[in-house]
Amino acid sequence: MIFLDAAATTPARREVLEAMWPYLTGEFGNPSSHHSLGEAAANALSGARATVAKVLGCRPGEITFTSGGTEADNLAVKGIALARRATDPALNRIVISAIEHPAVEESARYLQRVHGFDLDVVPVDRHGVVTAEALRAILRPETALVCIMYANNEIGTVQPVRQLAEVAAEHGVPFHTDAVQAAGWLPIGVKELGVDAISISGHKLGAPKGSGVLYVKGRLKLEPLVHGGGQERGRRSGTENVAGAVALATALTLAHAEQSGHGEQPGLAGPVSELRDAFIRSVLETVPGAVLTGHPSQRLPSVASFCFPGTSGESVLLELERLGVVCSSGSACAAGSDAPSPVLLALGIQPEVAQTAVRFSFNSTVTSAELQQAAKAVAAAVGSVQGLGRR
Ligand code: PLP
C-alpha cells in the first residue's frame, strides 16, 4: 500500500516512542506531585517545553501544551479575542481567512454566536493566497485578532505569513497562524515570521495523536478555556500529558532538522518538492481534464491536490485504494461529508468540480518510484470512474 495521506496523520516515529516510553512506565509521575517521581515528570515537561521553544525561537514560558491542533487553535482564537476585549470593549471584531481549518473557523463563529463578536472573512485569490492588500482592506480599529493559516491542509497553499503579520502589526493587531500543516516543512521561527501566536499538532509530525502546542507571545494576554488546577501557568488546567509533550518536542525537532535543514545542511523540503512537482506534471499530462488546485509553486512540499471533472472524488478514492494507493478527498475532518469543500469554493471553483477533489500528501520518506506508481494509478482510477459515468 502506498500511503499518500500524511496531511491527515502520520505514524509515530520510533525515536519518538522511545523518548516518551519512560513517562508512560517507570517515570509515570504527575508533574504537580512533590516527590521524586513528580519532580522527574516536571523536569521532563520543562525539557520538552525548552526543546519546542528552541525550535520556535521563543521563551519556554511562551509555550502551552494542549491536546492537539484543534485545542491550540481554540485557545488562540477564543483566548486572545476574549482577553483583548476584556481590556478594551471596543475590540469586538475578528478577522479570519476564507480557507481556515474548522478549528479556527468554528472558534470564530462561536465567538460571533455566543459572545457577540463581528466576524470579517478575508477572501483569497484563485490560488488560495491572502494578499497584504486584502488584509489591509478588512482591518478596522475594532479588530481584536487576525487568524490566517500558514499552509492550507486541502490545497497546500502557503501564505506570505511574514508580510501579513507585518500588516497586522502596523495596525497593532495580534496575528495568529495555524501552522499545523507547515510545521516541520517550513521555517517556523516566530521572530522571523513576526507572528504573535502559532498552533502546532504532534500527530502530523510523527508523534501520537493527542498532543499540540500553542505559542503565545509573552506580553499577550490569554483567557483560559479550561479551568482547574492552574497547570500550564493557568492557561490550560489539567494534569499534563508529559509523554505527549516529550513526543511532540522530539518529533518537532526531528522533522524540523530533517525537512527544513540544519545549519548549513539542506533539508528534505527541496527534494520532496521536486518529487511533488514531478508527480503533479505526470498527473496533469496523463489524466485528461485534471486541474491542479492551490498555488502552482507557493505550496507545501508535501501536498499535491487536484480536481478531476466528470468524476466524483469519493469514487476515485475507492478505485485508488483498490489499486493500492491511499489518499483523501480533502481534509480528514470533512471526509465523509457530501458538501463541496468550502476551501475550494473560496477559490472560485464550481461546486460540481469541487466535489471531484482528491488530495495526495506525503511524508519525507516518500520515493520517486512510489509517486510514479501512484500517478499511473491515478490515471487508471480516473479513467475507469469516467468510463463508468459514460456507460
Ligand atoms: N489545523 C489544520 C490546518 C489541520 O490540518 C488540522 C488537522 O487536520 C488541525 C488544525 C487540527 O489538528 P488536530 O488533528 O491535532 O486536532
Side-chain angles (χ1 to χ4, degrees):
M1 190 244 293
I2 303 177
F3 179 73
L4 298 183
D5 201 14
T9 198
T10 57
R13 297 178 60 148
R14 170 167 288 280
E15 306 91 316
V16 168
L17 292 173
E18 280 169 5
M20 71 191 290
W21 178 251
Y23 307 102
L24 295 167
T25 51
E27 312 263 312
F28 62 88
N30 181 329
S32 300
S33 296
H34 295 288
H35 48 60
S36 54
L37 266 183
E39 274 160 24
N43 286 341
L45 191 63
S46 66
R49 203 183 304 282
T51 303
V52 172
K54 193 164 168 218
V55 177
L56 298 187
C58 66
R59 286 186 282 115
E62 295 172 316
I63 296 296
T64 303
F65 285 111
T66 66
S67 66
T70 298
E71 190 191 329
D73 282 340
N74 271 260
L75 183 55
V77 179
K78 299 175 191 171
I80 297 172
L82 288 171
R84 292 209 79 214
R85 197 176 64 175
T87 57
D88 180 354
L91 295 172
N92 200 38
R93 305 190 78 90
I94 307 161
V95 171
I96 64 169
S97 83
I99 58 165
E100 291 305 306
H101 188 273
V104 166
E105 189 194 342
E106 292 304 320
S107 295
R109 294 211 181 276
Y110 161 83
L111 288 176
Q112 183 185 35
R113 201 174 60 246
V114 177
H115 292 275
F117 277 84
D118 289 315
L119 182 58
D120 296 311
V121 180
V122 59
V124 292
D125 68 13
R126 69 195 176 94
H127 296 312
V129 176
V130 178
T131 62
E133 297 72 49
L135 177 58
R136 202 170 279 121
I138 215 161
L139 289 174
R140 308 263 195 94
E142 305 83 46
T143 308
L145 175 65
V146 174
C147 299
I148 298 175
M149 71 199 316
Y150 197 167
N152 183 268
N153 45 304
E154 290 183 45
I155 55 172
T157 296
V158 175
Q159 301 298 337
V161 166
R162 190 184 162 80
Q163 224 187 329
L164 297 173
E166 263 169 28
V167 171
E170 282 161 20
H171 291 75
V173 184
F175 187 97
H176 164 258
T177 195
D178 172 340
V180 167
Q181 294 293 342
W185 289 109
L186 304 176
I188 198 89
V190 295
K191 300 212 172 62
E192 293 72 26
L193 288 174
V195 299
D196 300 285
I198 280 196
S199 309
I200 295 174
S201 170
H203 75 103
K204 312 284 183 181
L205 295 161
K209 292 153 193 69
S211 61
V213 149
L214 176 65
Y215 154 81
V216 177
K217 200 176 198 165
R219 60 170 173 75
L220 206 54
K221 287 213 172 67
L222 190 69
E223 184 62 36
L225 306 183
V226 181
H227 303 95
Q231 288 90 341
E232 296 293 286
R233 307 170 84 219
R235 295 185 151 187
R236 199 261 186 186
S237 286
T239 302
E240 301 90 335
N241 177 1
V242 179
V246 169
L248 187 149
T250 310
L252 178 65
T253 307
L254 288 170
H256 187 71
E258 291 168 1
Q259 294 169 11
S260 303
H262 191 56
E264 297 291 286
Q265 190 81 14
L268 289 169
V272 174
S273 300
E274 282 168 23
L275 294 180
R276 172 206 64 196
D277 289 342
F279 176 71
I280 290 174
R281 273 196 306 277
S282 174
V283 170
L284 293 178
E285 278 164 20
T286 56
V287 182
V291 184
L292 178 72
T293 56
H295 198 282
S297 57
Q298 297 305 309
R299 59 189 302 135
L300 282 172
S302 50
V303 173
S305 51
F306 303 90
C307 285
F308 300 118
T311 67
S312 106
E314 290 297 330
S315 330
V316 173
L317 288 190
L318 284 177
E319 191 56 18
L320 277 172
E321 182 151 14
R322 212 180 57 77
L323 296 171
V325 177
V326 174
C327 53
S328 103
S329 61
S331 78
C333 307
S337 125
D338 277 347
S341 146
V343 169
L344 298 179
L345 298 182
L347 307 188
I349 294 175
Q350 293 304 310
E352 64 279 11
V353 175
Q355 236 140 1
T356 70
V358 180
R359 174 190 71 184
F360 304 89
S361 52
F362 352 115
N363 52 29
S364 57
T365 56
V366 73
T367 64
S368 167
E370 282 175 326
L371 288 180
Q372 280 171 19
Q373 198 182 325
K376 282 196 189 126
V378 175
V382 173
S384 70
V385 171
Q386 282 172 338
L388 282 179
R390 275 197 293 274
R391 262 188 231 153

